[in-house]
Amino acid sequence: MRINDVKDLKKIADRYLAEVGKYEHTIYVCGGGGCLSSKCQDTKAFIDSYIKYRGLSEKVNVVFTGCMGTCAMGPVVLIEPERTYYVHVTPERAKDIIDSHVIAGDVIEEYTFFDNALGKHIPCIDDIPFFSEQVQIVLNKCGKIPFDSIEAYVAKGGFTAEAKALGMTPEEIVDEVTRSGLRGRGGAGFPTGIKWSAGMKAPGENKCIVCNADEGDPGAFMDRSAIEGDPFCLIEGMTIGGYAIGAKQGYVYCRAEYPIAIERFNKAVEIAREYGLLGRNILGSHFDFDIELRIGAGAFVCGEETALMESIEGDRGEPRQKPPFPFESGLFGYPTIINNVETYYNIAEIINKGADWFASYGVGRSKGTKVFALAGDVVNTGIVEVPMGMPLRKLIYEIGGGITDGKAFKAAQIGGPSGGCITEQNLDTPVDYESLTALGAIMGSGGLIVMSEDTCMVDTARFFLQFIQDESCGKCTPCRVGTKRMLEILERIVSGKGTLEDIDTLNGLANVIKDTAMCGLGQTAPNPVLSTIANFREEYEAHIVDKVCPAHICSALAKYYIVPELCKGCTLCARNCPVYCINGKAKTIHTIDQDKCIKCGTCISNCSFGAIVRK
Amino acid sequence: MSDVVKTLTAEELERRANYEKLANVIDLYSGKEGCLIQVLHAAQDIFGYLPYEVQQFVADNMGFSVSHVSSVSSFYSFFSTTPKTKHEIKVCLGTACYVRGGKALVEKLQELLGIGIGEATSDNFFSIHITRCVGACGLAPVVVVDEDVHKQVKPGDLAGILEQYRGAEV
């Protein structure tokens, strides 16, 4: 059926709510990326068939949703009305849960969420700090509705903002977005309202609106989760944006590494067309708009807006010189506005609830919320959305549950290969654009990698440089050659062949590349090196002067020792050593000849007594 | 002898069917601007990789020079000009996986299979690749075999994972 106005939306919402309201229980099975990797499809299939087998189909509604957030605990399941949050729900556990919880009314506490910081199970999702400390604007429907149901989306208020926006003038929409203080969530933080205003004022019959879903920062998976869990919200946000700037065509550029996001979004677009929410005369108005998804092909640089446009046009993803800026001459030469996925997910709420409501969240010039992908050495890895300005400590320890295995915190890498690291002493810094920039990091797209004491910061810097080297498109010399030279120096340092001058050379090169590279990728590429030198200079010096890797990560600097008290003299290590550098007869304590050792680690993997250590 | 003729014909039939499929895809995109990358995706899905002849076919049917098609296909890491192995093992070296021990997995895999990164085993069964972040950072470190994501993998788990695929063959 076609939706022509708000009344039609209400009809759909009422019908859907009446339909789901008749069930006694609703079982939400998370179908987010993390849970899919944990085989949640099997759990869902089992629950479906077991509910039928127990004759509960009339009483229990089973819903397959997007990401709920706790990605390492999959498959996760939420049961309403009790709002009990079960983790690691294998089909076996699902059977227990249905028998005990759904049928007998007894919550199985040991299957519920375990809060590491508090050291106990917390059955109700509303009591779990991981969830209760969050403020969800972007993710307010993700994980709470079936991702493929437009009725469910409408029942949660979906498309009412679009209906409202189509009754406003473009100027009014741009003004609302400007006053909300919303800034681009892709990294740079450019005010969205100002960008839209430029797009609106740009002359031309044909304009384009583009969504950058080329979430390339390693360690970031927020946009993936949002699209997979709530694809209609992106359609609504882009349609409002298209109307505001006068674009008839929208493009979503999604990376090829996200096949599930691509599949679910394409399906949502088809459904939206059927309902008259894309195409001609949207919602009974005179506005025509459509969206096409274009798939990337594995190039990090395509996250840069001008390279992204080249790629949508089917060419090599090499950045263009600016000016002209995209709003003047962008995709196919038309005025083009490009925003990140998360930016569009804020739009509907801003239109519905107003700029002042949105601006009531956040601090200073950073309004609203930010979605982070928590990963690395943190207990609760996953997706979280917090108000801007929350101290990093709270994010990592209360929401994230602290560091894994009780290790000590060393640094948080924020902003991916363009960002920097935050150290222990700055953990109380509020997470907002300005504070992070002042620390030499950036907000970035939201990848937040927590690193424990077991991480070598020099090796981390080398890792990012290696990444940049692989992904540099080669168009400009500072990025192509400069980052190569930086990588060579870092490789020297991690293999114990560095000199103290190398640190100065790195700093010098880094600053030249920052100033002269053509696009954002090159200009920000040196950041992880500058940031680690500024915060962990002593680690660089340890590698160079003492020839030691304090975290015992860098293979070339590692030394292997046999602990005499633990060695049983079984000769297994000596027999397997490829360079015969382990001495000792059977039943006597063995020793390693450090001069001959090639640090391959074969001895460690062969020792059954844990008698060999790497230092 | 007649068997050989039959197999050749079957291969030839499949080849022709594949080119027909590709021609249909190109038709589907005609009239839309800038669809080369989308067509190359489809071509790789159909043929498994992008040999010179396929790129030539795309160029001829879309009105490009083959050098242009090749410049695009070689720019993007997703496109391959060599045939795929039966199973592709992709070790994620995104930040989260790297921090949680992805590097050790690459080393162990190379040791187990006796091949380097980007190489194939002599029976064309496995190949090892490094992949950029697959967005499963919450499960780091991950190893992706074809479409299956193996989560929180330790070096000691790898032999068992390989066996799952070897075993499925028998």
Side-chain angles (χ1 to χ4, degrees), chain A residues 102-391:
Chain A
V102 178
I103 296 174
D106 292 325
V107 170
I108 307 180
E109 197 168 319
E110 66 261 38
Y111 290 174
T112 60
F113 181 91
F114 183 80
D115 190 286
N116 193 59
L118 302 173
K120 61 174 185 187
H121 286 279
I122 306 179
C124 179
I125 190 168
D126 304 310
D127 301 330
I128 301 171
F130 180 87
F131 296 100
S132 62
E133 296 289 344
Q134 294 191 45
V135 171
Q136 297 194 324
I137 296 173
V138 171
L139 302 174
N140 65 356
K141 298 182 207 70
C142 184
K144 294 153 193 87
I145 56 171
F147 50 80
D148 53 357
S149 164
I150 196 166
E151 290 87 1
Y153 180 73
V154 169
K156 285 264 183 193
F159 290 112
T160 50
E162 188 173 311
K164 184 176 175 187
L166 291 175
M168 296 162 73
T169 64
E171 288 80 5
E172 285 169 341
I173 296 173
V174 170
D175 178 60
E176 199 70 32
V177 173
T178 307
R179 285 194 304 109
S180 75
L182 176 66
R183 293 166 69 178
R185 297 294 194 243
F190 191 83
T192 307
I194 295 177
K195 199 185 250 189
W196 283 19
S197 170
M200 179 179 71
K201 288 176 188 153
E205 260 306 284
N206 288 310
K207 298 181 192 176
C208 294
I209 189 156
V210 175
C211 171
N212 183 347
D214 190 51
E215 188 173 47
D217 281 5
F221 50 108
M222 308 79 49
D223 296 346
R224 168 190 177 163
S225 301
I227 297 176
E228 289 177 1
D230 188 14
F232 293 105
C233 193
L234 180 55
I235 295 176
E236 187 173 5
M238 285 184 75
T239 308
I240 296 170
Y243 175 73
I245 68 158
K248 292 189 183 62
Q249 183 63 46
Y251 289 94
V252 173
Y253 183 83
C254 185
R255 62 197 297 242
E257 287 87 343
Y258 289 172
I260 304 166
I262 292 167
E263 184 194 320
R264 292 184 185 173
F265 185 74
N266 272 333
K267 185 139 181 260
V269 166
E270 270 175 42
I271 297 172
R273 283 187 191 134
E274 281 168 29
Y275 279 80
L277 294 161
L278 284 176
R280 298 186 68 83
N281 303 107
I282 291 173
L283 279 166
S285 72
H286 295 298
F287 179 56
D288 304 337
F289 184 72
D290 212 333
I291 296 176
E292 185 185 337
L293 181 126
R294 293 269 168 115
I295 307 168
F300 175 68
V301 68
C302 291
E304 197 278 338
E305 59 179 10
T306 60
L308 182 147
M309 294 190 296
E310 288 288 325
S311 189
I312 292 185
E313 292 176 13
D315 287 326
R316 292 163 68 89
E318 290 176 356
R320 298 175 186 169
Q321 197 66 260
K322 288 191 275 194
F325 289 95
F327 75 86
E328 300 163 311
S329 170
L331 196 57
F332 303 113
Y334 303 133
T336 301
I337 292 302
I338 303 179
N339 287 118
N340 169 264
V341 173
E342 192 183 331
T343 311
Y344 287 116
Y345 274 82
N346 282 294
I347 298 297
E349 288 288 277
I350 290 174
I351 296 297
N352 261 338
K353 297 186 177 162
D356 296 332
W357 167 83
F358 185 81
S360 70
Y361 294 101
V363 288
R365 291 182 51 230
S366 305
K367 299 300 187 194
T369 59
K370 181 75 195 83
V371 181
F372 288 100
L374 268 181
D377 298 322
V378 63
V379 176
N380 299 332
T381 51
I383 300 288
V384 297
E385 182 175 359
V386 297
M388 292 269 189
M390 178 181 277

Side-chain angles (χ1 to χ4, degrees), chain A residues 518-533:
Chain A
M518 187 176 154
C519 80
L521 185 152
Q523 288 157 13
T524 58
N527 284 354
V529 178
L530 287 171
S531 169
T532 47
I533 292 179

Side-chain angles (χ1 to χ4, degrees), chain A residues 37-38 71-72 218 221 224 255 257 294-298 300 311-313 315-317 332 381 459 462-463 471, chain B residues 33-35 37-38 41 68 71 75-79 93 95 98-100 132-135 137-139 149 151:
Chain A
S37 301
S38 303
C71 301
F221 50 108
R224 168 190 177 163
R255 62 197 297 242
E257 287 87 343
R294 293 269 168 115
I295 307 168
F300 175 68
S311 189
I312 292 185
E313 292 176 13
D315 287 326
R316 292 163 68 89
F332 303 113
T381 51
D459 185 57
R462 189 204 60 78
F463 163 79
E471 296 295 341
Chain B
E33 282 181 283
C35 291
I37 293 172
Q38 314 305 309
H41 270 299
H68 176 72
S71 80
F75 182 85
Y76 294 97
S77 64
F78 236 72
F79 299 130
L93 283 189
T95 322
Y98 188 81
V99 167
R100 305 213 67 175
R132 309 184 314 139
C133 183
V134 295
C137 314
L139 311 168
V149 179
K151 57 176 180 169

Side-chain angles (χ1 to χ4, degrees), chain B residues 38-57:
Chain B
Q38 314 305 309
V39 168
L40 290 175
H41 270 299
Q44 184 155 296
D45 278 347
I46 295 169
F47 289 90
Y49 68 115
L50 297 175
Y52 178 81
E53 301 76 46
V54 171
Q55 299 192 47
Q56 177 81 58
F57 183 86

Side-chain angles (χ1 to χ4, degrees), chain A residues 448-466:
Chain A
L448 182 61
I449 311 278
V450 179
M451 297 173 179
S452 76
E453 56 191 321
D454 289 344
T455 313
C456 170
M457 298 314 287
V458 186
D459 185 57
T460 304
R462 189 204 60 78
F463 163 79
F464 279 117
L465 252 285
Q466 175 78 56

